[in-house]
Amino acid sequence: MTAVGQPGVGAEPSPAGGPAPLQPLVGGASREEPHTRLAKLGIQLNAGARTLLEDSCFDTRAPETLEVVRPRPPPARPRLRRHPPADHRCGTGAGSRPAPPPDTGPYLRLAITDQGQAPDSILSAGRAPTGAVHVHSVPLRADHDYPKGFYLRVVDGVTWSRGFRCDEEYVWPADAVLALRAPDA
């Protein structure tokens, strides 16, 4: 796992692809404030992101600074393997890695100012979108139709914060970038 923002790792790219470490301040605002800040910057939202922004997890809470990490791709596995490692499943969060708070996505979207253009313009295809940073936390509801987290992406010059849905059987592709909370030192 590559830790973004740890001492001695300054040359490692951030989940956004840039050299700057990501340690966003999350929380400490009213439920409306992140939405207002995103709108002011022209960041687009899909229905899933709007649903998540209306959730009570965005009620004012004490702010905290997070250190963002991303996993290295897992080693190649045989094609016939039926059950991938649990830490790459959608429904289980990040396995042994701590999940970020559910309200992390919009704050991380506001912190990532240099995310590169996605390699394609497909916004919804039933799979993890290319060029996205996925912010997956512990599910807020057991309902599979309720969004599970945010993904951050730039498509055709438009910056997005989008909500995504998946069930616990979904397996993240090896090249997916997941924003996770760094374990305590």
Side-chain angles (χ1 to χ4, degrees):
M1 175 143 307
T2 300
V4 180
Q6 286 183 338
V9 189
E12 289 287 336
S14 71
L22 287 174
Q23 295 182 317
L25 181 66
V26 176
S30 69
R31 197 185 297 195
E32 295 80 24
E33 189 173 333
H35 192 280
T36 301
R37 290 177 60 201
L38 292 165
K40 189 174 183 177
L41 293 173
I43 295 169
Q44 299 299 301
L45 306 171
N46 69 350
R50 286 189 292 276
T51 296
L52 288 169
L53 282 166
E54 292 170 6
D55 194 278
S56 62
C57 74
F58 280 88
D59 288 341
T60 303
R61 66 178 181 86
E64 64 179 306
T65 300
L66 297 181
E67 184 172 302
V68 178
V69 298
R70 65 182 183 160
R72 293 187 192 273
R77 57 184 186 255
R79 296 186 94 181
L80 298 176
R81 185 172 182 179
R82 296 187 64 167
H83 299 289
D87 64 352
H88 285 76
R89 287 185 185 260
C90 185
T92 56
S96 62
R97 294 292 175 189
D103 60 347
T104 300
Y107 292 100
L108 191 56
R109 171 76 286 165
L110 292 166
I112 297 175
T113 59
D114 62 346
Q115 186 174 14
Q117 179 71 31
D120 65 54
S121 298
I122 300 168
L123 288 175
S124 181
R127 61 171 169 75
T130 59
V133 176
H134 306 273
V135 187
H136 184 285
S137 59
V138 175
L140 296 171
R141 305 238 184 345
D143 179 2
H144 293 303
D145 290 327
Y146 197 82
K148 299 297 187 260
F150 292 91
Y151 71 86
L152 317 176
R153 198 165 179 239
V154 177
V155 178
D156 297 330
V158 178
T159 304
W160 286 89
S161 180
R162 298 177 59 87
F164 69 86
R165 295 186 309 254
C166 60
D167 64 21
E168 59 252 359
E169 297 302 315
Y170 180 78
V171 179
W172 292 104
D175 60 348
V177 176
L178 302 174
L180 304 171
R181 182 190 298 233
D184 291 333

